[in-house]
Amino acid sequence: MQASNVVDGRAIAAQIQRELTARVADLKRRGVVPGLAFVRVGEDPASKVYVGRKEKACAELGIVSETHVLPEKTSEAELLALIGKLNSTPHLHGILVQAPLPRPIRESVVFATVLPSKDVDGFHPVNVGKLMLGDDTGFKPCTPAGVVELLVRSGVQIEGAEVVILGRGNIVGKPMTAMLCQKGKNANATVTLCHSATRDVRAHCRRADIIVAAMGVAEFLKADMVKPGVVVMDVGVNRVPDAASKTGTKLVGDVDFANVQPIAGKITPNPGGVGPMTIALLLQNTVRAAEQALG
Ligand code: GUN
């Protein structure tokens, strides 16, 4: 039987979590239990699901978490006041404010208020700057860091590869670009960042050895846009109508999986690809934050 080209993100995430178990046990021997605060504002259904999954993963690993749920109408000042309190709570080593935040709260102001040493999301300007500079002492955003781990652990050569990233968001596209173009191990790629004003996305994608799809357009990447053997990482999560489902909707990625999978060298499924890796890297960042707090 031919080996499947579908990358099992759940299995790789579970492996990372097993590796973290020893580090958590070591911290506990030294009297420290890693602590993570979640902050959720409003009732965005996807955010509820994501935070719920992250809480569960923390509990499984032995990270103590607490979740602060604030009403939709919370002011920016109230949110900043909460973050200030969490910043000065010693047993909380990480703080995660789930995006998107309701308007008119400015995400950039909120992310810049989290202490860089507790910024396990890697969204603070200091950590963003360190990433750009190739300084590994900062925290890297979990989703693009998870994509790098998926590539490395499934044996994909990044060095020298032509990589096309679809989407220039602050959470995935931009940091993904910075990570893969660095001089160094598990990087050294030639990176093209495509976005809504790119003239010929298909031509860029056809050249790519690796494509990271993170623009949030359901099933955008079609079979005729890729070359045979391409490695495809699908970050997208899009809810679309589906008459066959009980809810009337279903989740699909940014990749037309059914048609791209037969051509691809490797491809992530959705769900079960990149999603579990985001959580695994959050756990890893939190354990590191606790280790660093201990000195
Ligand atoms: N919303 C979508 N992805 C993320 C993430 O990685 N972290 C946070 N805080 N919010 C998100």
Side-chain angles (χ1 to χ4, degrees):
M1 201 177 79
Q2 209 183 335
S4 168
N5 64 348
V6 179
V7 177
D8 187 345
R10 288 196 184 106
I12 296 174
Q15 176 63 34
I16 292 172
Q17 293 185 33
R18 278 194 295 277
E19 291 165 13
L20 289 172
T21 307
R23 286 167 66 181
V24 172
D26 190 49
L27 278 166
K28 287 185 180 169
R29 266 193 300 276
R30 297 162 75 193
V32 172
V33 179
L36 176 57
F38 295 105
V39 180
R40 187 163 65 68
V41 186
E43 298 303 317
D44 177 62
S47 290
K48 279 187 187 174
V49 172
Y50 293 144
V51 172
R53 284 188 193 149
K54 292 171 188 176
E55 288 168 331
K56 184 164 167 274
C58 282
E60 282 167 10
L61 186 63
I63 293 174
V64 169
S65 76
E66 59 181 52
T67 301
H68 299 260
V69 180
L70 304 180
E72 184 88 20
K73 291 279 166 245
T74 301
S75 71
E76 189 178 284
E78 286 168 319
L79 177 55
L80 297 186
L82 171 63
I83 294 170
K85 264 196 261 172
L86 301 173
N87 277 341
S88 52
T89 303
H91 76 267
L92 294 171
H93 306 100
I95 300 169
L96 182 147
V97 184
Q98 185 67 28
L101 292 167
R103 275 192 291 207
I105 296 175
R106 295 165 295 173
E107 277 177 8
S108 59
V109 173
V110 171
F111 295 148
T113 303
V114 174
L115 270 183
S117 58
K118 295 194 177 193
D119 173 36
V120 288
D121 252 332
F123 293 165
H124 189 286
V126 164
N127 286 318
V128 176
K130 285 184 172 182
L131 173 61
M132 284 304 295
L133 295 168
D135 174 346
D136 280 335
T137 65
F139 289 107
K140 293 181 186 156
C142 304
T143 300
V147 169
V148 173
E149 282 290 330
L150 266 188
L151 291 169
V152 170
R153 290 178 189 243
S154 49
V156 176
Q157 162 107 5
I158 301 174
E159 176 138 22
E162 292 278 345
V163 178
V164 165
I165 297 167
L166 301 174
R168 57 179 151 188
N170 288 335
I171 292 181
V172 185
K174 283 189 211 163
M176 186 88 257
T177 305
M179 281 176 205
L180 295 177
C181 74
Q182 288 306 326
K183 189 164 191 160
K185 201 166 147 262
N186 302 331
N188 269 336
T190 303
V191 185
T192 304
L193 178 61
C194 294
H195 46 73
S196 52
T198 299
R199 252 185 284 140
D200 191 348
V201 177
R202 182 173 178 275
H204 289 293
C205 290
R206 292 278 304 177
R207 278 195 293 105
D209 303 311
I210 300 171
I211 300 175
V212 181
M215 86 282 252
V217 179
E219 299 182 321
F220 174 87
L221 190 74
K222 304 287 185 203
D224 70 350
M225 296 170 71
V226 303
K227 72 177 180 189
V230 65
V231 172
V232 179
M233 299 279 119
D234 188 358
V235 180
V237 182
N238 310 286
R239 192 165 284 283
V240 295
D242 177 30
S245 130
K246 262 194 284 178
T247 57
T249 64
K250 65 173 177 178
L251 292 175
V252 297
D254 286 356
V255 177
D256 177 4
F257 184 87
N259 294 307
V260 175
Q261 184 266 330
I263 312 168
K266 289 188 195 299
I267 185 167
T268 59
N270 212 328
V274 175
M277 294 299 291
T278 297
I279 296 178
L281 271 286
L282 170 67
L283 300 173
Q284 192 176 84
N285 279 349
T286 305
V287 170
R288 212 181 110 206
E291 289 167 348
Q292 287 173 351
L294 200 54

